[in-house]
Amino acid sequence: MNQSKSHIVILPSVGISHLIPFVEFAKRLVSQHNNFHVTCIIPTNGPPPQIAKAIVEALPTTIDAIFLPPVSFDDLVANPLAPLTLTVSRSLSSIRNVLESLLSKTHVAAFLTNFFGIDSLDVVKELNIPSYIFFPSPATVLSLFLHLPKLDESLSSEIRYLPETMKIPGCIPIPAEDFPGGGTFQDRKGDSFKRFLHIGKRISSVEGIIVNSFTDMESGVIIALQDGAGANNPPVYPTGPLVQTGSSSEEDRSGCLRWLDNQPLGSVLYVSFGSGGTLSRAQLCELALGLEMSEQKFLWVVRRPNDESPSAAYLSDKSQFDPSDVLPSGFLERTEGQGLVVTSWVPQTQILSHGAIGGFLTHCGWNSTLECVVFGVPQIVWPLFAEQKMNALILVEDKKVALRPKANENGFVEREEIAKVVKELMEGEEGKRLGQRMGDLKEAAARALSKDGSSTASLSELASKWENVEAPKVE
């Protein structure tokens, strides 16, 4: 640890999809500003997954990583999402120990966490460390969070439900069904609204918010956020798109890259619902039949189906399984020359950057969205949970770089609709237009990260601020 450098501490919440953007931010910071050293504190609720270890092992020497002792949820068996939402709050004593140890050795200029780590801000405040939020979701969702306290105050206490459509500064109107949590978010007395209202109040008290987006991606929202900085909201620093870089240190065990090498240019649809997303068994089978019906080539990462929760893959068994146990009878045999089905971890950024990929059917997580932007891959969006419907709204209605299949009155997407949308993206005229617009967005992303780009300037402004922070002391 170099004591002459300003020290930055980052605390992602549990989960690989949260770790990656934090690490990429840290790598970008130390590569552009060599007077910083970063410590990444990683909360756990069990043994760290192999992919997390691989990411940590590949870090440069200017970034340290500390895995905290795992916390237990044996007392919360009935709460399947507890690991995602409560791991940080149950790790506060360990976080305090790490911070106090760092303060005894070095100058800590800033502490960054995300909205799932918001309880750690109390400890950070007690230690007099400047606190920041690293927001790994789009600026549109950040604007929604910051808008909620004002909206809540403006409504009569007798009005229980929010409007059917919400207009937040700089953003296209958001229908109720696209709010995080869907219709449950509308109920001001419900848990979803109360949780997000709490987040909105807490993040407005930090010294700055770093958002993983860039001006051309969400220009109206970012301008509105920056104009609103001051008395009510903290400064906002768009530094994206931050996506996983470099080749993975893990082998391509699935063989998907070798398979792609043998496919025609732009001919393959990549299908994945991320590290946490999954479908019901019936919808999984319908998707399979739709892909087969489309007659388009595909590379599909299949997760175990779950009829209870679309986010069940976060918590389910990650071991490999026989896909024939969950897919329609004979599907794998019939599509042997058309597609490749894998159930293991795959190197997604290497897949999306491969010349054979022509489109991505995605759950619309923000990491995957930005990876598509960086590599210029048009999308079919199939949002499942969290803020993914808002992300889909940005891509379909605002940026017009994605298609969205229509579900029936029961929320089920039928095979004919799937086949139609896949064919349109991969070989239709609308698919070509989407590809051209995504190509323009790819160029805009590259400009933002260039030497004189908007995101580079935003990071430099932040770094300059941190360089001038006096060393905090424990009271």
Side-chain angles (χ1 to χ4, degrees):
M1 185 183 300
N2 192 329
Q3 294 188 358
S4 66
K5 294 188 175 186
S6 294
H7 211 93
I8 308 299
V9 177
I10 59 176
L11 176 75
S13 52
V14 70
I16 196 68
S17 62
H18 295 280
L19 175 63
I20 288 173
F22 267 91
V23 165
E24 293 303 324
F25 173 80
K27 286 160 64 175
R28 187 161 172 80
L29 174 67
V30 298
S31 68
Q32 293 189 6
H33 303 274
N34 58 14
N35 50 341
F36 287 102
H37 193 101
V38 177
T39 292
C40 180
I41 303 175
I42 306 173
T44 66
N45 50 57
Q50 189 57 44
I51 183 60
K53 291 180 180 178
I55 290 171
V56 165
E57 289 169 359
L59 290 174
T61 57
T62 46
I63 303 175
D64 300 322
I66 299 172
F67 287 101
L68 295 180
V71 297
S72 172
F73 293 102
D74 291 343
D75 59 323
L76 293 175
V77 176
N79 185 352
L81 290 180
L84 188 63
T85 59
L86 297 177
T87 299
V88 169
S89 61
R90 293 198 168 194
S91 301
L92 292 182
S93 61
S94 297
I95 293 168
R96 178 185 287 276
N97 290 340
V98 172
L99 291 175
E100 288 179 342
S101 176
L102 287 173
L103 286 170
S104 69
K105 304 171 192 173
T106 189
H107 168 202
V108 179
F111 173 91
L112 282 63
T113 191
N114 64 8
F115 46 85
F116 283 127
I118 209 157
D119 289 341
S120 65
L121 296 182
D122 292 330
V123 173
V124 174
K125 184 177 180 180
E126 290 175 18
L127 298 175
N128 294 322
I129 303 173
S131 60
Y132 292 77
I133 289 292
F134 178 81
F135 203 80
S137 299
T140 301
V141 179
L142 170 61
S143 185
L144 172 65
F145 282 0
L146 292 172
H147 183 63
L148 285 184
K150 184 184 297 184
L151 175 66
D152 189 55
E153 291 175 2
S154 69
L155 295 174
S156 164
S157 59
E158 289 78 26
I159 298 177
R160 180 173 177 178
Y161 290 94
L162 298 179
E164 286 295 325
T165 300
M166 189 183 300
K167 185 70 172 73
I168 57 177
C171 180
I172 60 176
I174 305 170
E177 61 265 24
D178 290 334
F179 293 160
T184 60
F185 181 87
Q186 272 190 286
D187 185 355
R188 292 172 61 219
K189 298 183 184 297
D191 290 341
S192 291
F193 182 83
K194 289 179 180 178
R195 181 167 65 250
F196 289 121
L197 179 63
H198 172 68
I199 292 172
K201 290 178 178 178
R202 291 301 305 268
I203 63 178
S204 64
S205 66
V206 298
E207 299 202 21
I209 303 174
I210 301 113
V211 62
N212 190 11
S213 190
F214 59 103
T215 303
D216 284 340
M217 185 76 182
E218 302 180 86
S219 56
V221 177
I222 288 174
I223 291 170
L225 285 169
Q226 292 176 330
D227 289 345
N232 297 322
N233 295 329
V236 173
Y237 304 90
T239 59
L242 299 164
V243 303
Q244 192 169 21
T245 55
S247 60
S248 170
S249 58
E250 286 200 1
E251 296 180 2
D252 175 26
R253 296 191 302 269
S254 67
C256 58
L257 295 177
R258 292 192 301 275
W259 183 82
L260 287 173
D261 288 341
N262 295 317
Q263 307 308 317
L265 188 69
S267 66
V268 178
L269 177 73
Y270 173 50
V271 183
S272 173
F273 292 91
S275 58
T278 189
L279 302 174
S280 69
R281 182 175 289 268
Q283 186 65 85
L284 186 77
C285 289
E286 197 74 3
L287 173 56
L289 296 173
L291 291 173
E292 181 181 359
M293 186 182 293
S294 76
E295 300 180 329
Q296 303 298 308
K297 289 183 173 291
F298 62 85
L299 167 59
W300 185 10
V301 182
V302 173
R303 305 291 184 198
R304 297 177 193 272
N306 188 287
D307 292 340
E308 302 298 325
S309 171
S311 61
Y314 274 123
L315 311 172
S316 64
D317 181 5
K318 294 295 195 299
S319 62
Q320 292 190 49
F321 59 97
D322 187 344
S324 64
D325 292 341
V326 300
L327 294 172
S329 176
F331 170 77
L332 293 173
E333 292 76 16
R334 293 193 304 272
T335 59
E336 185 174 359
Q338 179 185 352
L340 176 66
V341 170
V342 298
T343 60
S344 61
W345 175 92
V346 297
Q348 180 161 294
T349 53
Q350 291 173 267
I351 290 172
L352 289 174
S353 63
H354 197 286
I357 295 296
F360 185 11
L361 194 162
T362 169
H363 65 308
C364 233
W366 195 240
N367 285 344
S368 293
T369 295
L370 291 181
E371 287 166 2
C372 281
V373 169
V374 168
F375 299 118
V377 180
Q379 301 158 326
I380 296 170
V381 295
W382 193 316
L384 297 176
F385 56 90
E387 89 291 0
Q388 293 166 13
K389 289 185 178 180
M390 286 185 65
N391 299 347
L393 195 69
I394 295 170
L395 295 171
V396 176
E397 302 296 337
D398 188 18
K399 308 313 295 184
K400 294 179 171 55
V401 293
L403 300 174
R404 185 171 181 174
K406 294 181 175 65
N408 64 20
E409 62 275 10
N410 298 316
F412 192 79
V413 185
E414 297 174 347
R415 67 192 72 173
E416 294 83 3
E417 174 69 8
I418 294 167
K420 183 183 78 170
V421 173
V422 169
K423 291 185 75 169
E424 184 59 45
L425 182 75
M426 299 301 291
E427 61 181 26
E429 291 303 313
E430 180 61 18
K432 292 177 183 177
R433 287 190 287 269
L434 295 180
Q436 291 170 353
R437 285 193 285 267
M438 186 58 96
D440 293 340
L441 201 54
K442 174 184 177 180
E443 293 178 2
R447 287 195 302 271
L449 295 175
S450 66
K451 181 179 178 181
D452 299 318
S454 58
S455 292
T456 302
S458 188
L459 181 61
S460 295
E461 181 184 354
L462 193 59
S464 177
K465 186 175 181 179
W466 288 342
E467 287 170 349
N468 294 313
V469 173
E470 294 184 3
K473 298 178 181 179
V474 180
E475 292 184 346

